[in-house]
Amino acid sequence: SRPRVWVSQPLFDDIVGQLAAHCDVDAVAEVTEHDPAAIAAALREADGALVTLNERIGAQELAGAPRLRAIANVGVGYNNLDIPALDAAGIVATNTPEVLSETTADLGFALLMAAARRITESERWLREGRWKQWSFSTMLGADIHGSTLGILGMGRIGQGIARRGHHGFGMKVLYHNRSRLPETVERRVGARYVDFDTLLAQADHLVLVLPYSPASHHLIDAAALAKMKPTATLVNVARGGLVDEPALADVLAHGRLAAAGLDVYEGEPAVRPELLALRNVVLTPHIGSASLATRRAMVQLAVDNLLAALGVGPRAGHPANPVTAKKTTAIAGQ
Ligand code: GLV
Ligand code: GLV
């Protein structure tokens, strides 16, 4: 019989519609904040689910879902899914790597430039009618070209940022990761491996692009921030939980870090008032992969993954992009 699948949010109808050729689809029509009970109810009769990072799924949500076999996450990060609980229940989880790497690297660079060159702060100042107060030292920022770029986490997104910095802006690129890249790859992206403390101390601009897990929780805490240059920029396009936000707000407020560009936060969609109050932080609402082409490619890949994992349609017998408990614990260490 046809599998039943739950689609948790409105995505792209023409792409999600492909599921209907092979499955009975229960698709949520409006943007919805699902609480745990609503997720449990939606999964009760489902064989598969297509979800976004806003749906948190663990043992509690799975308890009454005996038929569930596959969850396709529309996103590369999958900290919204309790992978050990899914593994224990025999449920395959998939994500959407690769298709969003270059688009997210673009946003990382955009935030870096906006923060270092004070672009959004300048625009607010102009709109406030303050140009008549202009002086030669108005909005002095930090150079990007020729500076030292630090990258924490060197997956595909990190490599994309390294290439942009090295080839486009003549930056010296340093990185830290749980494992070193092969030398041929290091040469291609123009990046040199250093230990965590060296990365913190030498980066003029530091970009976070590593997966979030309990092991990487608050990797950038007060102690790490204290090792950075007071003139440095911090950019986070990965997950909010990597950064101790009160500690970050504190160094930004007291001139111990020049600027930050954040696309992700600990309590999304809430943003801490301490961060909102600062002029030297650029804030975007988790739009790393938000180009039209890339968001469509992510949904297409998630649909393909779900059909493959359920073993139906043209994707039957093709590999999905399964994630495993082992991969979630593998993070950039110190
Ligand atoms: C977005 O944050 C993603 O993980 O794809
Ligand atoms: C994403 O694809 C990453 O590995 O950074």
Side-chain angles (χ1 to χ4, degrees):
S1 71
R2 285 157 62 91
R4 291 178 65 110
V5 300
W6 181 55
V7 180
S8 67
Q9 301 287 344
L11 298 165
F12 295 101
D13 288 346
D14 60 316
I15 304 172
V16 171
Q18 296 164 16
L19 290 168
H22 315 284
C23 309
D24 293 335
V25 182
D26 167 20
V28 175
E30 311 247 308
V31 175
T32 307
E33 200 179 313
H34 302 286
D35 63 21
I39 292 174
L43 296 177
R44 201 165 290 141
E45 312 262 284
D47 300 283
L50 194 71
V51 303
T52 72
L53 62 91
N54 290 326
E55 285 74 59
R56 303 194 142 271
I57 302 177
Q60 187 191 344
E61 289 75 18
L62 300 174
R67 300 167 46 157
L68 195 63
R69 288 186 281 138
I71 297 180
N73 205 44
V74 188
V76 67
Y78 46 87
N79 55 301
N80 54 311
L81 304 178
D82 181 341
I83 300 298
L86 266 64
D87 279 351
I91 297 165
V92 175
T94 68
N95 69 339
T96 60
E98 302 185 36
V99 291
L100 48 63
S101 303
E102 294 299 323
T103 297
T104 306
D106 282 347
L107 196 273
F109 230 89
L111 279 178
L112 166 53
M113 298 191 75
R117 294 301 307 275
R118 305 173 64 174
I119 290 175
T120 55
E121 181 188 358
S122 289
E123 191 189 350
R124 284 194 299 275
W125 188 85
L126 177 154
R127 287 179 188 271
E128 286 163 9
R130 296 171 62 183
W131 199 338
K132 56 189 173 303
Q133 296 162 23
W134 185 93
S135 78
F136 203 67
S137 58
T138 294
M139 295 295 159
L140 300 184
D143 275 322
I144 316 254
H145 74 273
S147 67
T148 297
L149 173 63
I151 301 176
L152 187 56
M154 203 52 153
R156 298 180 196 92
I157 300 168
Q159 291 171 38
I161 290 171
R163 274 192 281 103
R164 283 162 178 74
H166 176 69
H167 296 293
F169 289 82
M171 298 169 94
K172 172 176 167 187
V173 182
L174 307 177
Y175 77 98
H176 183 71
N177 195 45
R178 69 176 187 275
S179 54
R180 244 190 102 156
L181 297 177
E183 249 175 79
T184 50
V185 180
E186 285 187 347
R187 227 174 295 123
R188 190 166 66 233
V189 302
R192 190 159 68 77
Y193 181 86
V194 293
D195 64 40
F196 184 54
D197 282 357
T198 303
L199 187 78
L200 294 171
Q202 294 194 3
D204 294 312
H205 310 287
L206 179 63
V207 184
L208 309 181
V209 267
L210 73 165
Y212 176 75
S213 75
S216 60
H217 179 75
H218 286 189
L219 197 56
I220 303 298
D221 57 6
L225 290 164
K227 291 174 187 157
M228 293 180 68
K229 298 181 184 180
T231 50
T233 315
L234 178 73
V235 171
N236 188 2
V237 288
R239 284 293 181 270
L242 297 170
V243 176
D244 180 338
E245 291 177 347
L248 174 63
D250 187 58
V251 292
L252 287 168
H254 294 99
R256 283 183 274 121
L257 190 72
L262 305 177
D263 188 46
V264 290
Y265 310 86
E266 285 201 278
E268 294 174 20
V271 179
R272 282 179 198 277
E274 305 97 288
L275 290 173
L276 291 169
L278 291 167
R279 53 159 189 79
N280 53 344
V281 53
V282 179
L283 306 167
T284 51
H286 207 141
I287 57 166
S289 61
S291 73
L292 177 61
T294 290
R295 282 285 164 86
R296 287 183 60 84
M298 290 165 70
V299 175
Q300 184 64 63
L301 182 55
V303 164
D304 291 348
N305 285 340
L306 186 58
L307 292 174
L310 291 171
V312 292
R315 308 299 306 171
H318 285 71
N321 285 287
V323 297
T324 64
K326 198 156 142 271
K327 273 162 77 176
T328 65
T329 57
I331 58 118
Q334 300 178 39

